[in-house]
């Protein structure tokens, strides 16, 4: 996928990167420019982008393999989360305090937290990954990534509507870049002569 083949995808990726960067990094109350959370967010974006690329290739080879591909992805996520829980003391140690993993299922006062963990694991992880995997068999990963880059914009909109969070300049500017990215991804830079030859 070179710049000459799909310039609109590269333009959309650059616009998304700028837009999400403005949304996430500008306009905060803290004086820090970059923190560990920002580094982890960048690594997460790289991981998701790589995952979409690999998943799209696998789904193009055999579209009937959505469930096994999803199972591998969710199992990997569960394994990495288990490592985190062990290292953080949430499994058996007392470092987890009242929210140690085993207490979520035995302490009746933590049923809401246990429900949130189950919701996150089953609905927003497993079901979401299955829908994304199935969709990547039909939509190119570059297009899907641009669509999914709108997530911070939707989060800002819903935070404003439901939580009465103030919309700052960074929300407007970052949102404009993300919308431009979605529009740029639909552009066709093929010269008119080539389009006439194709049709």
């Amino acid at each position: 996928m070179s710049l000459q083949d799909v310039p609109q995808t590269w333009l959309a990726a650059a616009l998304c990167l700028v837009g999400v960067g403005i949304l996430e990094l500008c306009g905060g109350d803290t004086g820090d420019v970059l923190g560990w959370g920002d580094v982890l967010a960048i690594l997460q974006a790289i991981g998701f982008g790589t995952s979409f690329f690999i998943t799209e290739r696998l789904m193009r080879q055999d579209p009937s393999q959505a469930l096994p591909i999803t199972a591998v992805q969710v199992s990997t996520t569960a394994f990495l989360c288990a490592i985190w829980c062990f290292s953080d003391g949430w499994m058996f140690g007392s470092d987890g305090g009242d929210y140690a993993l085993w207490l979520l299922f035995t302490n009746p006062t933590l049923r809401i937290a246990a429900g949130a963990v189950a919701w996150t694991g089953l609905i927003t992880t497993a079901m979401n990954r299955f829908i994304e995997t199935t969709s990547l068999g039909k939509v190119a990963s570059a297009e899907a990534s641009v669509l999914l880059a709108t997530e911070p914009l939707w989060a800002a909109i819903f935070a404003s509507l439901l939580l009465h969070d103030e919309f700052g300049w960074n929300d407007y500017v970052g949102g404009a870049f993300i919308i431009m990215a979605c529009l740029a991804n639909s552009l066709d830079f093929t010269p008119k002569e080539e389009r006439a030859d194709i049709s």
Side-chain angles (χ1 to χ4, degrees), residues 81-106 110 113-114 116-117:
C81 289
I83 290 173
W84 185 281
C85 286
F86 275 117
S87 68
D88 208 27
W90 275 36
M91 291 300 267
F92 305 110
S94 60
D95 293 346
D98 291 338
Y99 288 97
L101 189 60
W102 62 274
L103 282 176
L104 287 178
F105 300 103
T106 59
L110 297 177
V117 169

Side-chain angles (χ1 to χ4, degrees), residues 23 30 39 44 70 72 81 84 90 94 101 116 139 161 163 181 186 188 191:
L23 268 173
T30 63
V39 173
Q44 177 187 11
T70 303
V72 168
C81 289
W84 185 281
W90 275 36
S94 60
L101 189 60
V139 177
L161 292 175
L163 303 174
S186 64
D188 187 7

